[in-house]
Amino acid sequence: MNKYQAGVRVKGQLVKTVVFADNPIHARLILQYQFGMDSIVSYPSAITEVATIKPLTPDQQRIKSMQARVKQDQATVKAERARQKIRAGQVQLAKI
């Protein structure tokens, strides 16, 4: 079963409602049965649930920040090596 959200008109007011169904067609049919044929304002769209992320402990956060610094330092070293290779190539071209 999936969760679908749709807009329906109830006594002249627009209301967002949620229905559980196997697919959007079944969700539309359920809503039409509950609220009437002409009451659906926006067709059902699937709702995806976002899992909650637990906060990291201070020790885990410290390790994560150290790993991020290592990756940043590795990228800096790679960029510096590339600059040195370019500089060496420019020097060789200047000699010719």
Side-chain angles (χ1 to χ4, degrees), residues 49-81:
E49 302 271 336
V50 177
T52 58
I53 300 172
K54 293 182 181 178
L56 298 175
T57 64
D59 292 335
Q60 291 172 334
Q61 183 63 34
R62 193 175 309 116
I63 289 172
K64 187 174 179 179
S65 67
M66 286 179 183
Q67 289 172 339
R69 260 188 284 160
V70 166
K71 286 183 181 180
Q72 185 179 11
D73 290 344
Q74 287 173 344
T76 304
V77 168
K78 186 176 179 180
E80 181 59 31
R81 284 186 180 144

Side-chain angles (χ1 to χ4, degrees), residues 6-17 31-43:
V8 294
R9 187 177 309 278
V10 178
K11 295 184 181 178
Q13 290 185 336
L14 297 178
V15 178
K16 286 186 180 180
T17 186
L31 290 168
Q32 285 178 344
Y33 181 77
Q34 281 183 328
F35 298 102
M37 290 297 284
D38 296 328
S39 63
I40 297 177
V41 176
S42 65
Y43 283 102

Side-chain angles (χ1 to χ4, degrees), residues 12-33:
Q13 290 185 336
L14 297 178
V15 178
K16 286 186 180 180
T17 186
V18 175
V19 65
F20 290 92
D22 292 327
N23 57 44
I25 295 171
H26 287 150
R28 182 177 53 85
L29 291 173
I30 291 169
L31 290 168
Q32 285 178 344
Y33 181 77

Side-chain angles (χ1 to χ4, degrees), residues 77-93:
V77 168
K78 186 176 179 180
E80 181 59 31
R81 284 186 180 144
R83 276 192 289 271
Q84 288 177 2
K85 283 183 181 180
I86 290 171
R87 200 173 299 135
Q90 288 174 343
V91 168
Q92 284 182 345
L93 283 175

